[in-house]
Amino acid sequence: MIRFSLLLLSLTFFSCGVHSDKKESNTTSVEKLSDDQLLDAVQKQTFKYFWDYAEPNSGLARERFHPDGNYPDNDKHIVTTGGSGFGLMAIVSGIDRGYVTKEEGVKRLDKIADFLAKADRFHGAWSHWIDGNTGKVKPFGTKDNGGDLVETSFLISGIITVREYLKTGNEKEKAVAAKYDALWKGVEWQWFTNNKNVLYWHWSPTYDWQMNFPLEGYNECLITYIMAASSPTHSIDPKVYHEGWARNGAIVSSNTKYNLPLILKHNGAAEFGGPLFWAHYSYVGLDPNQLSDKYANYWDLNKNQVEIDYKYCIENPKKFKYYGADYWGLTASYSRNPDGSIGYDAHMPSNDKGVISPTGAISSIVYTPKESIAVIRNLYENHKSETWGTAGFYDAVSLENNWTAKRYLAIDQGPEVVMIENYRSGLLWKLFMNAPEVKQGLTKLGFKSNKYGI
């Protein structure tokens, strides 16, 4: 995962009208599918990232998958902790949809649990990147060579979901569920407060707390506090959430854009809101429907952020060609450098480079189904040859420049599978939200959800 919340701090200020003439498609005609057939095709193809193209030794999600086999940094074997959490949920979805048999799925999940149990951990937290061959930490940066609590929280969301899915199964399934339960209970969330009323992103056995990145809202890290409060073994005090994440209420925003309240202060992106993944990562398991606390209604928070992104792309102040109702979605992904090469960027309305990331609209389908399906249908029917590959839609596209990053990232493909499943059935939300510890943790922090009796 690219550390985009850190990137936001280093950027100064991040500085799509109506859909106009279409780009001529390079594809032959594509059979017209119903909405459900279309969603199933995308979900099933994208699932392959976490099944066919998983790192073979560990079974976990590779950080990146390059279909051409060219890995300039020789990192084909590097797995991502957070992306693997999304991948665990994708595997549960794949089993339930029949993309793989339950026996095959449980066998893979068992293999993953055994690998994670032996991999390097730092006060229970895993590192951002792990060597899939050895289980050893692969430093994300010089001082980022220890525990990454945010990536760990994304992984734990998947771990809890797997446990809930298997815990009432046959003896083998129950045994695998018990392994996942033990992994979850081993994370020392309280340690990562460094004796303060805030959680810290990193701890290194070499550099201690020198990364010094307290988790203050709002960004993608809400789930880290939920997991820390839910832990039955190393739980945080509610003060850590209210004084640290919520900054004693300073997290609340009175800003509006396109007559839509932002509700919370998006770090470094107060005018329009941040990249769309902020409405995805914490909410793959955490169901924002009817979820609220004293700071926000989380459905309104996320839906408004997505709608602001959509309306910005409709307005299209930078006049990028093809932006419109069926071509929108600004979020962190691979990006097009000025010379046409592939880089990375945290795309959002205040940092718009003319690059659309398919995961932006697809993973927002729970909030904007009609608008998201319009993007999926446009790309699939009109631009399939440019945008579609062996693991679903490629990571980033600029139709204006006839440019596509024909690569994939786990953190972008994972939310697509999971949020399509949540839109279609709510399966992953139901599993996660009905975990007893999650209900207790949410209650402890003052959350309410009529949907789940919290």
Side-chain angles (χ1 to χ4, degrees):
M1 169 181 163
I2 307 308
R3 190 61 53 76
F4 287 112
S5 286
L6 298 179
L7 177 61
L8 287 179
L9 294 181
S10 65
L11 297 174
T12 49
F13 265 87
F14 312 120
S15 41
C16 259
V18 175
H19 193 84
S20 58
D21 52 334
K22 287 278 189 181
K23 181 180 189 289
E24 242 180 73
S25 171
N26 294 330
T27 65
T28 55
S29 67
V30 176
E31 181 186 359
K32 187 84 170 179
L33 303 175
S34 69
D35 285 353
D36 194 62
Q37 289 172 325
L38 181 63
L39 291 178
D40 194 65
V42 174
Q43 186 176 354
K44 187 173 184 179
Q45 189 85 344
T46 310
F47 168 75
K48 291 181 179 181
Y49 186 104
F50 303 96
W51 192 261
D52 300 55
Y53 308 117
E55 195 285 315
N57 182 61
S58 64
L60 291 165
R62 289 181 169 125
E63 164 70 11
R64 65 191 88 250
F65 168 53
H66 295 180
D68 63 4
N70 181 23
Y71 291 85
D73 296 325
N74 192 31
D75 57 355
K76 184 178 181 179
H77 60 294
I78 299 302
V79 300
T80 168
T81 296
S84 290
F86 305 150
L88 290 175
M89 290 184 169
I91 291 172
V92 168
S93 171
I95 295 170
D96 215 63
R97 289 274 163 197
Y99 301 158
V100 295
T101 68
K102 194 165 191 182
E103 184 179 5
E104 290 171 325
V106 171
K107 184 177 179 181
R108 175 70 65 86
L109 292 170
D110 193 27
K111 175 180 180 175
I112 289 171
D114 289 344
F115 180 87
L116 288 172
K118 296 175 183 176
D120 285 349
R121 297 177 75 175
F122 306 87
H123 292 277
W126 289 271
S127 54
H128 187 127
W129 283 340
I130 304 171
D131 188 315
N133 291 325
T134 66
K136 299 297 182 184
V137 58
K138 165 70 174 177
F140 191 79
T142 300
K143 294 182 179 180
D144 193 353
N145 66 343
D148 185 312
L149 199 65
V150 174
E151 293 286 306
T152 294
S153 66
F154 299 148
L155 177 60
I156 291 296
S157 294
I159 283 173
I160 290 175
T161 302
V162 169
R163 185 199 68 184
E164 291 298 296
Y165 188 65
L166 298 179
K167 71 180 185 181
T168 59
N170 61 34
E171 290 308 306
K172 175 61 177 178
E173 292 163 14
K174 288 177 180 176
V176 175
K179 291 181 180 182
Y180 279 86
D181 187 56
L183 291 171
W184 146 233
K185 290 176 178 174
V187 182
E188 298 176 28
W189 305 92
Q190 175 61 31
W191 165 266
F192 283 85
T193 64
N194 192 22
N195 296 313
K196 300 179 177 66
N197 283 336
V198 69
L199 287 170
Y200 284 84
W201 200 314
H202 321 87
W203 179 81
S204 162
T206 311
Y207 300 98
D208 205 43
W209 302 102
Q210 288 184 39
M211 288 287 287
N212 193 31
F213 196 98
L215 300 179
E216 298 177 337
Y218 180 72
N219 53 27
E220 75 272 31
C221 303
L222 173 63
I223 193 63
T224 309
Y225 281 88
I226 305 274
M227 294 290 81
S230 301
S231 171
T233 50
H234 301 281
S235 184
I236 58 168
D237 189 280
K239 287 182 179 180
V240 178
Y241 173 73
H242 295 292
E243 295 180 16
W245 172 256
R247 292 175 281 129
N248 292 307
I251 191 174
V252 175
S253 173
S254 60
N255 288 3
T256 62
K257 196 69 181 180
Y258 305 119
N259 295 317
L260 293 166
L262 275 88
I263 300 175
L264 297 181
K265 292 177 182 174
H266 290 233
N267 295 342
E271 183 182 359
F272 293 91
L276 285 178
F277 77 88
W278 289 6
H280 305 154
Y281 288 6
S282 278
Y283 305 96
V284 288
L286 182 68
D287 187 349
N289 285 279
Q290 302 179 39
L291 183 70
S292 64
D293 66 1
K294 65 182 181 179
Y295 308 112
N297 175 302
Y298 289 89
W299 181 260
D300 292 345
L301 171 75
N302 292 335
K303 193 172 192 301
N304 288 1
Q305 183 193 349
V306 175
E307 288 189 355
I308 287 168
D309 187 284
Y310 173 79
K311 289 176 181 292
Y312 169 86
C313 290
I314 296 292
E315 182 185 29
N316 192 15
K318 292 192 174 183
K319 307 302 179 187
F320 289 117
K321 291 176 72 175
Y322 316 115
Y323 272 32
D326 59 2
Y327 183 63
W328 61 275
L330 304 177
T331 193
S333 70
Y334 282 121
S335 190
R336 182 180 183 275
N337 293 326
D339 64 359
S341 61
I342 297 175
Y344 299 95
D345 216 330
H347 310 110
M348 54 187 148
S350 53
N351 186 40
D352 181 11
K353 303 295 179 65
V355 173
I356 294 297
S357 314
T359 188
I362 296 171
S363 301
S364 297
I365 190 169
V366 294
Y367 310 114
T368 51
K370 178 183 175 182
E371 295 85 351
S372 294
I373 290 171
V375 174
I376 296 170
R377 190 169 292 283
N378 178 31
L379 295 180
Y380 190 83
E381 293 180 353
N382 301 320
H383 306 286
K384 192 172 183 180
S385 67
E386 306 107 297
T387 65
W388 181 260
T390 56
F393 289 112
Y394 292 123
D395 196 58
V397 60
S398 173
L399 294 179
E400 175 172 305
N401 291 289
N402 195 28
W403 175 95
T404 304
K406 293 190 173 181
R407 300 176 178 179
Y408 298 99
L409 290 169
I411 54 166
D412 293 339
Q413 301 309 100
E416 292 182 29
V417 179
V418 174
M419 289 308 213
I420 289 175
E421 184 60 55
N422 280 331
Y423 172 69
R424 298 176 78 188
S425 73
L427 172 67
L428 304 164
W429 278 342
K430 292 171 190 173
L431 289 168
F432 181 83
M433 292 295 289
N434 282 304
E437 308 98 307
V438 172
K439 286 189 169 185
Q440 291 166 10
L442 288 167
T443 300
K444 179 178 179 179
L445 296 183
F447 282 82
K448 298 185 185 306
S449 171
N450 290 334
K451 184 175 180 179
Y452 297 97
I454 298 170

